[in-house]
Amino acid sequence: MAVLFALALSHLLNDTIQSLIPAVYPILKEQFSLDFVQIGIITLTFQTAGALFQPAIGLYTDRHPLPYSTVIGLIFTVVGTVSLAYASSYGLILVAVTLIGIGSSIFHPEATRSARYASGGRQGLAQGIFQVGGQIGGALGPLLAAFIIVPHGQASLAWFALMVVLAMALMAWTARQQAVIRAHFTAPGANAAKQNTHTRGAILFGLTILTLLMFSKLAYLESFRSFYTFYLIDRFHVSIATSQVMLFVIFISSAAGVFLGGIVGDKIGRYRVIWISVLGPLPFTLLLPYADFFWTGVLTVVINLIMASAFASIMIYAMDLVPHRIGLIGGLFYGLNFGLGGVAAAILGGLTDTIGIEQVYWLCSFFPLAGLLAWFLPRLETADR
């Protein structure tokens, strides 16, 4: 548990930096006269860099463990954070977010592996603890932007490099525990579901369905992450600070959803959680474009609470499909989390400039229908249990 909480806190600190990027979009948009396509390209650049190395790093560390690779990744994040604080042009902004993305691409595969090793067989709980750290970090970004960066300006981003230094110290300590937690994970009976009984075709088909489910979820969530503040400002004429606080509330609900999804998945099975979390928000997403300010807040909290519960179950489902490639699956799905989110942000940015932000939210309301694809997932004993 000490290792899990250290991993969760490091994940929180790492993802706080990530969440500061979209949180400062209104500031960057005004300061550099950016349009929504350029905003979407910033997200695409960051997410692509975040996705680029994760599967390759995960595959390599499956064969050659590199417990200190997380510290190396965090060094990239420190440099990127300071660079973003003092970026004086759009091009330098793109360079800075690329460095932060590379840092995350190195951090996640090994940290995910460590969380699985430290699980003691309770995979949902372990991934829930680890991922809730990242979700809380994602929630803190808008709040910190509202109360620190908005009053003090872009350069105040440099202060947050100290958070990454703390994360580096925690991950160095965790790396020293690797031998102990790995031995615990590989002990007799510690991982009874390790044998793979599925054909290569069934595995590839299952991973494809999981990827499509991830994309539908991420495309909708990206509309909140990158454009929700603009939606609130445009439709309800709230201040930037108010929109950031609303974004914080939504991300906190996502953190709660991730944690609850992991625990519930241990009880009722990953298969059922995936159904509920992807298809379940549909009634609420259909109502959202017609809601007033109060009910917009309520509905977005409910939507994010349900939808965020999917990620732990999707990742563990994939790990159970390919139990001997933990690093690869962790890297692949965190990479997809970055890459597919970036693609969605770029597409949504272009649509926003073309048809308007309110129409984009109406269009996104139908995305949860993709949850019907869960019907085609290969059935796993561990996922049904």
Side-chain angles (χ1 to χ4, degrees), residues 200-275:
R200 183 181 181 88
I203 291 171
L204 291 175
F205 183 74
L207 293 177
T208 300
I209 295 296
L210 291 171
T211 300
L212 292 173
L213 291 170
M214 280 272 292
F215 182 68
S216 69
K217 179 182 83 77
L218 288 169
Y220 192 86
L221 292 179
E222 197 59 50
S223 70
F224 288 106
R225 189 178 300 138
S226 292
F227 302 106
Y228 186 63
T229 54
F230 299 114
Y231 177 74
L232 294 177
I233 293 168
D234 182 73
R235 183 167 183 193
F236 301 111
H237 309 292
V238 301
S239 66
I240 292 177
T242 299
S243 70
Q244 299 286 11
V245 171
M246 289 287 288
L247 195 59
F248 166 76
V249 172
I250 289 170
F251 285 159
I252 283 292
S253 67
S254 292
V258 165
F259 185 65
L260 292 174
I263 295 175
V264 172
D266 282 340
K267 300 293 185 182
I268 69 172
R270 321 293 170 204
Y271 184 75
R272 296 183 182 92
V273 170
I274 291 171
W275 265 105

Side-chain angles (χ1 to χ4, degrees), residues 17 27 36 57 148 150 161 171-172 186 190 239 251 260 285 300 367:
I17 302 301
I27 298 171
F36 283 110
I57 290 170
I148 297 178
V150 170
M171 293 311 299
T186 56
S239 66
F251 285 159
L260 292 174
T285 61
T300 48
F367 286 1

Side-chain angles (χ1 to χ4, degrees), residues 348-359:
L348 292 174
L351 283 173
T352 299
D353 280 334
T354 304
I355 64 176
I357 197 162
E358 293 186 31
Q359 286 299 108

Side-chain angles (χ1 to χ4, degrees), residues 24 27 142-156 159-160 240-241 244:
V24 298
I27 298 171
L143 198 65
L144 294 171
F147 294 105
I148 297 178
I149 301 173
V150 170
H152 298 285
Q154 179 186 346
S156 61
W159 302 344
F160 296 99
I240 292 177
Q244 299 286 11

Side-chain angles (χ1 to χ4, degrees), residues 4 31 37 59 63 75 100-101 106 148 162 193 209 248 263-264 275 283 299 354:
L4 282 175
Q31 184 169 339
V37 171
L59 180 61
R63 299 169 181 172
I75 292 173
I100 297 173
I106 299 173
I148 297 178
L162 296 174
I209 295 296
F248 166 76
I263 295 175
V264 172
W275 265 105
L299 288 171
T354 304

Side-chain angles (χ1 to χ4, degrees), residues 62-73:
D62 280 332
R63 299 169 181 172
H64 310 282
L66 296 172
Y68 286 93
S69 62
T70 52
V71 179
I72 296 171

